[in-house]
Amino acid sequence: MFSGIIVLACVFAGCTQTRKEMLFNGKDLSNWNFVVEGDQVPADRVYSVQDGTILIQGSPLGYMYTKEKYGNCTLEAEWRWTDEPANSGIFLLVAAPTNPFPNGIECQLRAGYAGDFVLLGGSEMAEYKQPEGQERPKFPSVKKRSESSEKPAGEWNSARIVVRDGQITVHINGVLQNVGTSPVKEGHIGLQSEGGKIAFRNISLTR
């Protein structure tokens, strides 16, 4: 009887089941595929696991991406620059994992710009407004809403990214930085190699 009351209460309250999974197990990269620009070097020279974190060299250009595609979810990840502040990104709703850039939306992690959206591989966002009379740039962007909320190089930052029916909401270190809407509702998640060494840890997904 008591359990039945709980079930009914959940129904009327709109309760939904959630499932949290770790996209990185802290030991290996078995859940990921890899892209290296022009296949210049073996992937394990760019993407590796050190001390329980993912270490990405930043050169050559490329990205690692989940073997599975994801739709509605909350993605949480931590990152830090291991040397000097540089460039990287978290790729979302990747429809086509092509080399060296996919078709997908990048949540920019470039130092000073974390939270910008970059439209990769011809992807679209409702919030992107192309200037009249100008050609579409190679990497269109939707700028973040607030001043940088990033921490200095060497310190861990956190990203919380919510995807709901193509709408992407980004918090960087607890600060709302951007909201954008993609026509794509499902895709791979990626971590970029571009410009400098970056480490990732505590990469989880709830759906």
Side-chain angles (χ1 to χ4, degrees), residues 19-33:
R19 178 164 58 92
K20 185 173 183 177
E21 56 190 283
M22 301 305 295
L23 297 185
F24 170 52
N25 61 18
K27 299 177 181 179
D28 59 48
L29 301 177
S30 55
N31 291 334
W32 303 78
N33 291 325

Side-chain angles (χ1 to χ4, degrees), residues 75-167:
L75 174 68
E76 295 181 275
E78 296 179 331
W79 85 93
R80 70 179 179 93
W81 306 110
T82 63
D83 295 327
E84 296 297 319
N87 198 352
S88 184
I90 298 173
F91 294 168
L92 306 159
L93 300 175
V94 171
T98 50
N99 189 329
F101 293 100
N103 180 293
I105 304 299
E106 176 183 357
C107 172
Q108 180 70 270
L109 297 185
R110 177 186 170 193
Y113 296 84
D116 282 5
F117 289 129
V118 181
L119 282 57
L120 302 174
S123 60
E124 299 288 349
M125 274 196 137
E127 291 73 15
Y128 173 66
K129 306 301 180 185
Q130 184 170 323
E132 188 174 349
Q134 296 185 20
E135 291 186 6
R136 177 185 168 105
K138 187 175 181 179
F139 299 108
S141 64
V142 177
K143 300 300 183 183
K144 59 188 176 66
R145 298 183 172 193
S146 304
E147 294 294 324
S148 173
S149 53
E150 302 161 52
K151 297 180 181 179
E155 296 186 22
W156 287 101
N157 297 274
S158 66
R160 185 175 188 271
I161 302 171
V162 178
V163 180
R164 288 289 180 272
D165 298 323
Q167 184 182 77

Side-chain angles (χ1 to χ4, degrees), residues 46-83:
V46 183
Y47 314 99
S48 62
V49 177
Q50 294 188 15
D51 300 323
T53 68
I54 297 173
L55 180 63
I56 299 179
Q57 296 297 319
S59 180
L61 182 69
Y63 58 98
M64 51 187 284
Y65 64 96
T66 56
K67 292 180 178 179
E68 186 176 344
K69 288 185 175 182
Y70 299 94
N72 291 352
C73 65
T74 297
L75 174 68
E76 295 181 275
E78 296 179 331
W79 85 93
R80 70 179 179 93
W81 306 110
T82 63
D83 295 327

Side-chain angles (χ1 to χ4, degrees), residues 9 16 22 86 188:
T16 57
M22 301 305 295
H188 303 280

Side-chain angles (χ1 to χ4, degrees), residues 2-12:
F2 183 67
S3 60
I5 293 173
I6 292 177
V7 169
L8 286 173
C10 243
V11 169
F12 287 114

